[in-house]
Amino acid sequence: MVLEDLGGILVSPKEAFRIIFAERRSVLSAFGILFLFSLSAGLGFASLVGRFIGDIASLIPNVPFVGSITTLVIASLGVGLAILDVIVWVVYSGFSAAIAKLMDGRGDFSRELIVIGYSLGVSKITVILACFIGLFLPCLLYTSPSPRD
């Protein structure tokens, strides 16, 4: 069901959200989507930071414990960014529900959590792809010839 939701949101977002509302999906499924994509994006970004730390450390001779420090930085930063996304999700949903109530709307907090959770989670796909490309493609700076050659 979750994979169907993800595919639907990517291919036809308007129809997918209509189905999510009609079937009354749970807040837990929105949390799962958000946390999964946030953790993936956070770990991807943290891997880029770890790669940068490793590149800098390779320039300095005899730096001890770079591998273990890099692993600790990747894990801490990745999980920390995912937790931060969850906190932002709850606060953002609360503000959205409060504004809807002030404007004489329903302001249903659980529905706001579901819609914003799915949309924030799926929006992380671009970050994940960018990190994947940054990690696995060689830097063009080192592979292209310089103008002086």
Side-chain angles (χ1 to χ4, degrees), residues 112-125:
E112 297 292 331
L113 281 171
I114 292 168
V115 170
I116 293 172
Y118 273 97
S119 58
L120 284 178
V122 172
S123 70
K124 300 288 180 191
I125 289 176

Side-chain angles (χ1 to χ4, degrees), residues 14-108:
K14 187 175 181 180
E15 184 65 28
F17 276 111
R18 189 175 297 135
I19 292 170
I20 289 169
F21 275 141
E23 294 181 2
R24 302 247 182 222
R25 299 289 162 83
S26 70
V27 173
L28 188 61
S29 66
F31 170 77
I33 295 289
L34 176 70
F35 193 74
L36 174 74
F37 280 102
S38 293
L39 187 63
S40 299
L43 289 174
F45 177 73
S47 296
L48 287 175
V49 170
R51 183 175 176 185
F52 177 73
I53 290 172
D55 289 345
I56 296 298
S58 68
L59 299 175
I60 305 168
N62 300 327
V63 178
F65 307 114
V66 172
S68 58
I69 291 172
T70 304
T71 305
L72 180 66
V73 166
I74 289 172
S76 301
L77 188 59
V79 172
L81 288 173
I83 291 171
L84 181 65
D85 278 344
V86 170
I87 292 169
V88 167
W89 168 54
V90 172
V91 170
Y92 185 60
S93 298
F95 279 134
S96 180
I99 289 172
K101 280 223 185 263
L102 287 174
M103 310 269 304
D104 294 328
R106 280 166 107 185
D108 187 6

